[in-house]
Amino acid sequence: MQCVYADKCGGCPYRHMSDDEYREFKQNNLTKLLKHLHSPAKNIGSPLFIGDGQRRRAAMSFEYIKGKIILGFNEASSHKIINIEQCLILTPAINAVLPELRELLSKLCARSYQIKRGKKLLPQHIQKGTVWISEVSNGLDIVLEYDAPIDLNARMDIAEFCQNCADIIRLSHRAKADSLSETILQKAIPYITMGKFNVHIPAGTFLQASGQSEQFMGNLVAKYLAGVEGKIADLFCGVGTFSYYIITRIPYLKVLAIDSGDELLQGFKNTLNAGQICNITIKKQNLFKYPLTSDEVSTFKAIVFDPPRSGAKEQCRQIALAAHKPATIIAVSCNPNTFINDANTLIDAGYVIEELTLVDQFAYSEHSELVANFCLIDNHK
């Protein structure tokens, strides 16, 4: 489908291709990349391609220029914002709220607020920021990110906006990306259904780009763990996506889920408590600085990891050093290049890639997701 912003917006550089051309292009890129593996994957799974109207989260930039709001995505290789009225890759629910969201931002930016400099109070206006929008199972969850206070007038504007938009269930504010979010208005607790569980979602938390890709990858991870008995580690667990799919399909497994985000893990704990889920244990740990040691790795029958784009270099190194290695390692990667480095560390340590699957959830972009099932050769014979 043609996009009116395709020649400017940097989000979908390969939209000009036909479906067949695009899919062949992505799979050829993967084939070239996999040539760098020290040992080839035994099987390549059927890929998943996500089309238009499926992207359930977006970070849209905004600027207030000459009394008007510019809301959209960056121009290719630029910080210039392309004003987007509707985006083909976003879900219908997100697109539907954009006009009202634009109006809210106009009100917030047009009204001045005061800051103190010395003994003077100086009027200021919101100039720019980011809007984080997620479509969850029960509605839309929005975080306004800009460095200005939320005064009474702003709260009233936000309340009116949320009242007029039935799909919005929570709106929060934070000054910057690494700040804690303040809930301004909440109609219900936002949740995502993962496996058979309704999972509480903290404001602005990371979610897989589409519900279809999340379900596909979650079921793939659970399939690879079929037959495993013993303790499982879910590393870089986020809100617990893979943990929930694992115990939905294999309810007898015990899972240790590890990540480092306080707010994120608190949401995870809230869900476990609400659902009285007793076979998932949560641990806070910075796995980049303090990966599971080789001795700790030896206590697990299987490990699942889904790191950020920088990969899991140190954790793979500890797995390689373990005296008693887990029979199964499942790697989920949003960066095929760092995946190659991690994979080669595991291959050199005695693992083989039983199956590798492409998940193309960032439609028409350069990005690809991979899910790989590593089996220890001695156990696989």
Side-chain angles (χ1 to χ4, degrees):
M1 187 180 297
Q2 291 299 313
C3 172
V4 296
Y5 310 106
D7 60 336
K8 296 180 181 179
C9 178
C12 303
Y14 300 111
R15 181 171 284 279
H16 63 281
M17 295 181 174
S18 69
D19 286 349
D20 288 343
E21 287 174 330
Y22 173 71
R23 294 182 180 194
E24 183 178 3
F25 166 74
K26 275 295 182 78
Q27 291 180 93
N28 285 343
N29 280 353
L30 177 62
T31 299
K32 293 175 185 176
L33 187 74
L34 296 183
K35 290 180 180 179
H36 297 286
L37 289 172
H38 292 175
S39 178
K42 294 182 66 177
N43 299 289
I44 301 297
S46 297
L48 176 70
F49 288 92
I50 302 298
D52 284 335
Q54 299 296 316
R55 184 74 180 266
R56 67 179 179 185
R57 62 175 173 87
M60 303 187 74
S61 300
F62 72 87
E63 283 187 306
Y64 187 59
I65 302 175
K66 296 181 180 180
K68 293 185 178 181
I69 282 291
I70 306 298
L71 174 66
F73 302 110
N74 285 0
E75 185 177 319
S77 303
S78 169
H79 293 295
K80 181 182 178 181
I81 301 172
I82 303 301
N83 197 47
I84 303 290
E85 298 291 340
Q86 297 278 284
C87 176
L88 293 176
I89 66 170
L90 297 180
T91 64
I94 293 178
N95 274 316
V97 81
L98 293 183
E100 288 82 1
L101 181 58
R102 195 181 299 272
E103 184 178 337
L104 171 65
L105 292 172
S106 295
K107 289 182 180 179
L108 296 175
C109 293
R111 186 183 294 114
S112 65
Y113 64 95
Q114 293 183 325
I115 62 169
K116 191 173 183 180
R117 286 186 181 171
K119 295 182 179 181
K120 294 183 179 181
L121 290 175
L122 301 178
Q124 299 287 320
H125 289 269
I126 300 166
Q127 297 295 325
K128 60 182 179 179
T130 305
V131 182
W132 301 80
I133 314 174
S134 298
E135 182 176 354
V136 296
S137 295
N138 56 337
L140 295 178
D141 188 22
I142 295 178
V143 178
L144 301 180
E145 182 181 302
Y146 56 81
D147 193 6
I150 299 283
D151 59 18
L152 178 59
N153 288 323
R155 292 174 188 273
M156 292 174 65
D157 288 338
I158 289 169
E160 181 182 7
F161 165 69
C162 293
Q163 182 179 5
N164 292 335
C165 299
D167 283 348
I168 295 175
I169 54 171
R170 180 172 64 190
L171 191 145
S172 308
H173 169 262
R174 65 189 179 199
K176 50 188 178 180
D178 57 356
S179 302
L180 289 177
S181 300
E182 177 194 357
T183 298
I184 307 301
L185 189 144
Q186 179 172 289
K187 301 175 185 176
I189 298 175
Y191 69 87
I192 290 283
T193 301
M194 297 177 176
K196 66 177 182 180
F197 302 100
N198 292 335
V199 179
H200 297 166
I201 300 298
T205 194
F206 170 82
L207 297 173
Q208 297 294 344
S210 77
Q212 186 181 358
S213 60
E214 175 205 280
Q215 185 177 30
F216 179 83
M217 289 190 290
N219 287 330
L220 205 54
V221 168
K223 183 187 81 169
Y224 292 151
L225 291 173
V228 172
E229 295 184 4
K231 199 163 65 167
I232 308 298
D234 180 6
L235 308 183
F236 309 95
C237 65
V239 294
T241 304
F242 296 120
S243 291
Y244 291 117
Y245 278 95
I246 290 167
I247 65 170
T248 294
R249 293 274 296 266
I250 319 170
Y252 60 81
L253 284 179
K254 301 289 185 181
V255 180
L256 175 64
I258 302 177
D259 212 301
S260 59
D262 288 320
E263 190 175 12
L264 182 147
L265 292 180
Q266 187 58 54
F268 198 168
K269 290 176 183 177
N270 291 343
T271 300
L272 297 186
N273 293 336
Q276 298 183 329
I277 302 168
C278 59
N279 54 334
I280 299 177
T281 302
I282 296 172
K283 183 179 180 181
K284 180 185 175 183
Q285 185 168 323
N286 186 330
L287 291 165
F288 291 111
K289 291 184 177 181
Y290 309 105
L292 293 182
T293 67
S294 56
D295 288 341
E296 290 172 317
V297 164
S298 295
T299 66
F300 294 97
K301 297 297 184 182
I303 291 177
V304 179
F305 63 79
D306 182 15
R309 294 189 60 78
S310 55
K313 178 181 178 181
E314 292 304 318
Q315 189 57 76
C316 288
R317 180 172 171 272
Q318 291 298 318
I319 293 171
L321 293 172
H324 301 285
K325 296 176 178 61
T328 299
I329 304 290
I330 301 171
V332 182
S333 174
C334 61
N335 186 343
N337 292 303
T338 56
F339 167 81
I340 292 295
N341 296 329
D342 293 343
N344 282 336
T345 298
L346 296 176
I347 290 169
D348 293 346
Y351 287 91
V352 62
I353 301 178
E354 182 64 25
E355 185 171 80
L356 184 146
T357 303
L358 169 67
V359 182
D360 187 56
Q361 63 173 327
F362 300 99
Y364 306 111
S365 78
E366 295 179 351
H367 302 294
S368 295
E369 196 103 5
L370 301 175
V371 182
N373 180 27
F374 293 82
C375 296
L376 196 59
I377 293 175
D378 289 344
N379 293 69
H380 191 62
K381 289 179 180 179

